Structure formats: C-alpha cells, structure tokens
Amino acid sequence: MSLTLVVDVERWRAAQERACAALPGIVPVVKGNGYGFGRELLCREAQRLAVPQIAVGTYAELPEALAAFGREVLVLEPYRPAVCGGLPDLADARVLHTVTSASDVADLRNRAPGSRVLVEGLTSMNRFGAPLDRLGELAAETGAVGATLHLPLGTGHVAEIGRFLEAAPEISRWYVSHVTGQELAELRRRFPGRELRPRVGTALWLADPAAYQVRAGVLDVRPVAKGDRCGYRQRPLPAGHLVVVSGGTSHGVAMESPSSAATARSRAVAVAEGVLEAAHRVRSPFTVSGTTPRFAEPPHMQCSLLVLPAGVAPPAVGDTVAVRMRLTTAYVDAVELASPDRR
Ligand SMILES: *Cc1c(COP(=O)(O)O)cnc(C)c1O
C-alpha cells in the first residue's frame, strides 16, 4: 500500500490564492521534492495561478519545469561554468540565470548567446552573491534583468533589502525571499520606483496544513504477547498488537527531530544519537486508533513496525492512518487530489 499525500484541493488552492493576494508579484518556488507534492504538480498549479514566472532550485530541475510551465523559469543556483556549463536548456529564451560574477556571465554567453541574467547580492545569508558595493556595477556590465537577494528566516529584512536598494539605485527589479506582505508593502512605500518580486515556496504551498495530510496503509496487524520478538533487531515486545504500516525511511518517515519526546533534553539526546537509532525510544509519527504508538524498531525502507499497547483496539488491514511528516523532506508514493465536499 502506498504512502499517500491526500490533498483537499479546494482548500489547498484557496490558501494559494490567499498567499498570492498577500504577496503581490509572487514568484512560486518549485524545487527539491516539490514541497512534498512533487515539482510537476506544482508547475501545473503555478500555471493555473497565471503567474508570469516560477523559480527552480537547480539546472537539473529545469527541463521538467520548462515542459510543465509555459512561461519564464528562474534558476536559483548560480551559473558556474565548471558545474553548469554542459547542462541542457542553457540557451532557452524562457530561462533566467542567476550569476555572481562577470566572468561567469562571459562563459554563459559564449555557450548561450543572449541569455538573460539576474545578479545575486551577497546578503547576511552569506551563501553566494556579489558584494553590495559591486552589485550595481555587475548588473550594468552584464545587462542584467534585475537583482536577487536571499534572506535569512525571521525579521530585519526591510533594513537589509533597503541597503541594497539604496546602494544600486539603477537596478529596477528586485527578487527577494522570506518577506512578509507587510515588509513588502513597506519596501514599496520607501522605494516607489522599484519592482519587488517575492519568491515564495513554504508560505505558498504549505500555507494551510489542514489542507493536506499524509496517510499510510495498514499492511498487517498481529496480537503479540510480552516478550515476543520482531524485526531486524529482534527486540522484545510488550503485550498488545504489532501493527505494520506503509511508510519508511525511503519516504522520509522519522527524518525529523522527534517533537513528541518528553523534554527538550530528551529531544536533543535523541537527535544527537541519530534519529533512526533513537526511533525505538520515541513515539512514531503515525496516529493509530487515536494514539501515537512507538516504533518497534527503527523504520525500514518502505514500511514501519509499530507497537500498539494492550487495551487499544487495533486497526484493520487495509485501513489508512495519518502520518505527521515535514513535507519538505517527504517523498510520498502518490498524491491524491481529493474534493471532500463532493465525495
Ligand atoms: C528555497 C528558496 C526560496 C523559497 O523558500 P521558502 O522558505 O520555501 O519560501 C526562495 N529563495 C531561494 C533562493 C531559495 O533557495
């Protein structure tokens, strides 16, 4: 049975529309595991939202995005000749490249004449970019379409973005991340001549956690006596039921800090020992019969063994149960677009 992400489509789309309304000029980010939904589905949702641009994380993600989304695609990783030089789609007219130096742009234009670029500024993220005092010059030298800034989570964005906008008044279009609607409005008031475009992933696709749920299938249920053993590690079990569910390490199950461990210290210890090794000591992320049972042992690649204590009514084979997962590290087998109202 599959590990399935069940999406209440109407509710999910309503949250997307709210995010778009709160962040005018939004550039949806479609990268990595597609925030749990998969990149192709997000490309189609972005197409439906009628935005003029989306952003992908890497050049490797570009071909699929160009096929699934009909308008412009920004690449968030910087163009580097040694790593990106031989990749496909460099010359596609719908691509906007991110660059941090004039020599990289020269190499890119050698391979893909006329390619359009955004210059990235080095922010307090300290990830990559041209320094603040070089950005305007780089934009002018390369004929850049605009500039792009990546900011830490949290606050203080207005001051930092403001410094860049002041330092490079000739750059009219700026892409920014992790700003709130209020911060964006404040920046637009302070810099009326500039065009600000917020890049948004989490606050767009994962804006309403009640709009989606990961569900696992119950593969088997077996009564066990105290001292019975199971699994690769042959650990002894308490009396109750052994419940086998779909969803394991290959899906990203238990790949986050076990937030239900009793204290901050026990959480820290669990993380320090490795989440998987700690898994038999912490509650699993599965909800079974209204409880969050423990793992019998660390999850397997495609399924997990859970211990349901005596006295708790077990589920039936074929039932589905909810799994708490961080969707940015989840790889589900299937996404089910459901419309509960019409079922
Ligand atoms: C991932 C990413 C974003 C989007 O981040 P979220 O927290 O998912 O909104 C924006 N800009 C850059 C450069 C990124 O790498």
Side-chain angles (χ1 to χ4, degrees), residues 29 31 35 76 127 150 177-178 199-202:
V29 174
K31 67 180 178 184
Y35 292 82
L76 297 175
R127 200 159 76 165
H150 192 39
S177 60
H178 296 150
R199 280 184 312 256
V200 190
T202 306

PDB file of all heavy atoms in Angstrom, residues 29 31 35 76 127 150 177-178 199-202, ligand 1:
ATOM      1  N   VAL A  29       8.131  29.150  -5.871  1.00  0.00           N
ATOM      2  CA  VAL A  29       9.344  28.340  -5.899  1.00  0.00           C
ATOM      3  C   VAL A  29       8.933  26.870  -6.018  1.00  0.00           C
ATOM      4  O   VAL A  29       8.106  26.387  -5.247  1.00  0.00           O
ATOM      5  CB  VAL A  29      10.205  28.581  -4.640  1.00  0.00           C
ATOM      6  CG1 VAL A  29      11.394  27.632  -4.615  1.00  0.00           C
ATOM      7  CG2 VAL A  29      10.677  30.026  -4.609  1.00  0.00           C
ATOM      8  N   LYS A  31      10.913  23.498  -6.170  1.00  0.00           N
ATOM      9  CA  LYS A  31      12.254  22.895  -6.131  1.00  0.00           C
ATOM     10  C   LYS A  31      12.260  21.643  -5.259  1.00  0.00           C
ATOM     11  O   LYS A  31      11.274  21.344  -4.572  1.00  0.00           O
ATOM     12  CB  LYS A  31      13.266  23.909  -5.610  1.00  0.00           C
ATOM     13  CG  LYS A  31      13.071  24.287  -4.153  1.00  0.00           C
ATOM     14  CD  LYS A  31      14.117  25.299  -3.702  1.00  0.00           C
ATOM     15  CE  LYS A  31      13.881  25.706  -2.264  1.00  0.00           C
ATOM     16  NZ  LYS A  31      14.808  26.758  -1.820  1.00  0.00           N
ATOM     17  N   TYR A  35       8.088  20.330  -2.338  1.00  0.00           N
ATOM     18  CA  TYR A  35       7.419  20.573  -1.058  1.00  0.00           C
ATOM     19  C   TYR A  35       6.479  19.419  -0.691  1.00  0.00           C
ATOM     20  O   TYR A  35       5.430  19.615  -0.083  1.00  0.00           O
ATOM     21  CB  TYR A  35       6.678  21.921  -1.087  1.00  0.00           C
ATOM     22  CG  TYR A  35       7.641  23.098  -1.145  1.00  0.00           C
ATOM     23  CD1 TYR A  35       8.191  23.517  -2.356  1.00  0.00           C
ATOM     24  CD2 TYR A  35       8.058  23.748   0.011  1.00  0.00           C
ATOM     25  CE1 TYR A  35       9.094  24.562  -2.416  1.00  0.00           C
ATOM     26  CE2 TYR A  35       8.959  24.796  -0.036  1.00  0.00           C
ATOM     27  CZ  TYR A  35       9.475  25.209  -1.253  1.00  0.00           C
ATOM     28  OH  TYR A  35      10.376  26.232  -1.311  1.00  0.00           O
ATOM     29  N   LEU A  76      17.638  29.182  -9.288  1.00  0.00           N
ATOM     30  CA  LEU A  76      18.141  29.799  -8.059  1.00  0.00           C
ATOM     31  C   LEU A  76      19.630  29.535  -7.825  1.00  0.00           C
ATOM     32  O   LEU A  76      20.310  30.338  -7.201  1.00  0.00           O
ATOM     33  CB  LEU A  76      17.343  29.305  -6.846  1.00  0.00           C
ATOM     34  CG  LEU A  76      15.849  29.665  -6.865  1.00  0.00           C
ATOM     35  CD1 LEU A  76      15.145  29.032  -5.679  1.00  0.00           C
ATOM     36  CD2 LEU A  76      15.670  31.172  -6.841  1.00  0.00           C
ATOM     37  N   ARG A 127      25.662  33.069   1.556  1.00  0.00           N
ATOM     38  CA  ARG A 127      25.636  31.846   0.762  1.00  0.00           C
ATOM     39  C   ARG A 127      26.424  32.061  -0.529  1.00  0.00           C
ATOM     40  O   ARG A 127      27.510  31.560  -0.680  1.00  0.00           O
ATOM     41  CB  ARG A 127      24.183  31.445   0.492  1.00  0.00           C
ATOM     42  CG  ARG A 127      24.036  30.003   0.120  1.00  0.00           C
ATOM     43  CD  ARG A 127      22.635  29.482   0.339  1.00  0.00           C
ATOM     44  NE  ARG A 127      21.681  29.919  -0.674  1.00  0.00           N
ATOM     45  CZ  ARG A 127      20.476  29.355  -0.839  1.00  0.00           C
ATOM     46  NH1 ARG A 127      20.101  28.355  -0.062  1.00  0.00           N
ATOM     47  NH2 ARG A 127      19.648  29.801  -1.758  1.00  0.00           N
ATOM     48  N   HIS A 150      18.691  36.710  -1.249  1.00  0.00           N
ATOM     49  CA  HIS A 150      18.136  35.625  -0.428  1.00  0.00           C
ATOM     50  C   HIS A 150      18.411  35.972   1.031  1.00  0.00           C
ATOM     51  O   HIS A 150      19.536  36.273   1.393  1.00  0.00           O
ATOM     52  CB  HIS A 150      18.786  34.291  -0.809  1.00  0.00           C
ATOM     53  CG  HIS A 150      18.074  33.104  -0.224  1.00  0.00           C
ATOM     54  ND1 HIS A 150      16.697  33.023  -0.126  1.00  0.00           N
ATOM     55  CD2 HIS A 150      18.549  31.937   0.274  1.00  0.00           C
ATOM     56  CE1 HIS A 150      16.367  31.863   0.413  1.00  0.00           C
ATOM     57  NE2 HIS A 150      17.467  31.187   0.676  1.00  0.00           N
ATOM     58  N   SER A 177      13.372  37.050  -0.881  1.00  0.00           N
ATOM     59  CA  SER A 177      12.745  35.878  -0.271  1.00  0.00           C
ATOM     60  C   SER A 177      12.427  36.168   1.187  1.00  0.00           C
ATOM     61  O   SER A 177      12.999  37.067   1.802  1.00  0.00           O
ATOM     62  CB  SER A 177      13.676  34.672  -0.363  1.00  0.00           C
ATOM     63  OG  SER A 177      14.885  34.938   0.305  1.00  0.00           O
ATOM     64  N   HIS A 178      11.498  35.363   1.715  1.00  0.00           N
ATOM     65  CA  HIS A 178      11.189  35.374   3.145  1.00  0.00           C
ATOM     66  C   HIS A 178      10.732  36.725   3.686  1.00  0.00           C
ATOM     67  O   HIS A 178      10.991  37.064   4.834  1.00  0.00           O
ATOM     68  CB  HIS A 178      12.384  34.840   3.952  1.00  0.00           C
ATOM     69  CG  HIS A 178      12.666  33.404   3.633  1.00  0.00           C
ATOM     70  ND1 HIS A 178      13.918  32.850   3.694  1.00  0.00           N
ATOM     71  CD2 HIS A 178      11.850  32.410   3.217  1.00  0.00           C
ATOM     72  CE1 HIS A 178      13.859  31.574   3.330  1.00  0.00           C
ATOM     73  NE2 HIS A 178      12.628  31.281   3.030  1.00  0.00           N
ATOM     74  N   ARG A 199       9.927  35.724  -3.845  1.00  0.00           N
ATOM     75  CA  ARG A 199       9.986  34.290  -4.191  1.00  0.00           C
ATOM     76  C   ARG A 199       9.451  33.518  -3.000  1.00  0.00           C
ATOM     77  O   ARG A 199       9.932  33.702  -1.877  1.00  0.00           O
ATOM     78  CB  ARG A 199      11.441  33.851  -4.390  1.00  0.00           C
ATOM     79  CG  ARG A 199      12.063  34.171  -5.700  1.00  0.00           C
ATOM     80  CD  ARG A 199      13.454  33.560  -5.706  1.00  0.00           C
ATOM     81  NE  ARG A 199      14.158  33.894  -4.481  1.00  0.00           N
ATOM     82  CZ  ARG A 199      15.118  34.794  -4.387  1.00  0.00           C
ATOM     83  NH1 ARG A 199      15.521  35.429  -5.445  1.00  0.00           N
ATOM     84  NH2 ARG A 199      15.686  35.033  -3.235  1.00  0.00           N
ATOM     85  N   VAL A 200       8.479  32.669  -3.235  1.00  0.00           N
ATOM     86  CA  VAL A 200       7.822  32.011  -2.103  1.00  0.00           C
ATOM     87  C   VAL A 200       7.590  30.533  -2.385  1.00  0.00           C
ATOM     88  O   VAL A 200       7.057  30.164  -3.436  1.00  0.00           O
ATOM     89  CB  VAL A 200       6.453  32.678  -1.808  1.00  0.00           C
ATOM     90  CG1 VAL A 200       5.888  32.160  -0.488  1.00  0.00           C
ATOM     91  CG2 VAL A 200       6.577  34.189  -1.764  1.00  0.00           C
ATOM     92  N   GLY A 201       7.993  29.702  -1.443  1.00  0.00           N
ATOM     93  CA  GLY A 201       7.706  28.268  -1.521  1.00  0.00           C
ATOM     94  C   GLY A 201       6.801  27.859  -0.367  1.00  0.00           C
ATOM     95  O   GLY A 201       5.591  27.689  -0.515  1.00  0.00           O
ATOM     96  N   THR A 202       7.394  27.759   0.820  1.00  0.00           N
ATOM     97  CA  THR A 202       6.675  27.275   2.001  1.00  0.00           C
ATOM     98  C   THR A 202       5.374  28.041   2.258  1.00  0.00           C
ATOM     99  O   THR A 202       4.325  27.430   2.486  1.00  0.00           O
ATOM    100  CB  THR A 202       7.602  27.364   3.229  1.00  0.00           C
ATOM    101  OG1 THR A 202       8.811  26.666   2.905  1.00  0.00           O
ATOM    102  CG2 THR A 202       6.972  26.723   4.446  1.00  0.00           C
TER     103      THR A 202
HETATM  104  C1  LIG B   1      14.088  27.846  -1.274  1.00  0.00           C
HETATM  105  C2  LIG B   1      14.274  29.256  -1.661  1.00  0.00           C
HETATM  106  C3  LIG B   1      13.216  30.160  -1.569  1.00  0.00           C
HETATM  107  C4  LIG B   1      11.867  29.772  -1.018  1.00  0.00           C
HETATM  108  O1  LIG B   1      11.997  29.443   0.334  1.00  0.00           O
HETATM  109  P1  LIG B   1      10.710  29.071   1.204  1.00  0.00           P
HETATM  110  O2  LIG B   1      11.191  29.151   2.603  1.00  0.00           O
HETATM  111  O3  LIG B   1      10.307  27.694   0.828  1.00  0.00           O
HETATM  112  O4  LIG B   1       9.658  30.064   0.875  1.00  0.00           O
HETATM  113  C5  LIG B   1      13.416  31.450  -2.003  1.00  0.00           C
HETATM  114  N1  LIG B   1      14.609  31.840  -2.492  1.00  0.00           N
HETATM  115  C6  LIG B   1      15.653  30.994  -2.587  1.00  0.00           C
HETATM  116  C7  LIG B   1      16.943  31.493  -3.136  1.00  0.00           C
HETATM  117  C8  LIG B   1      15.535  29.679  -2.162  1.00  0.00           C
HETATM  118  O5  LIG B   1      16.578  28.856  -2.250  1.00  0.00           O
END
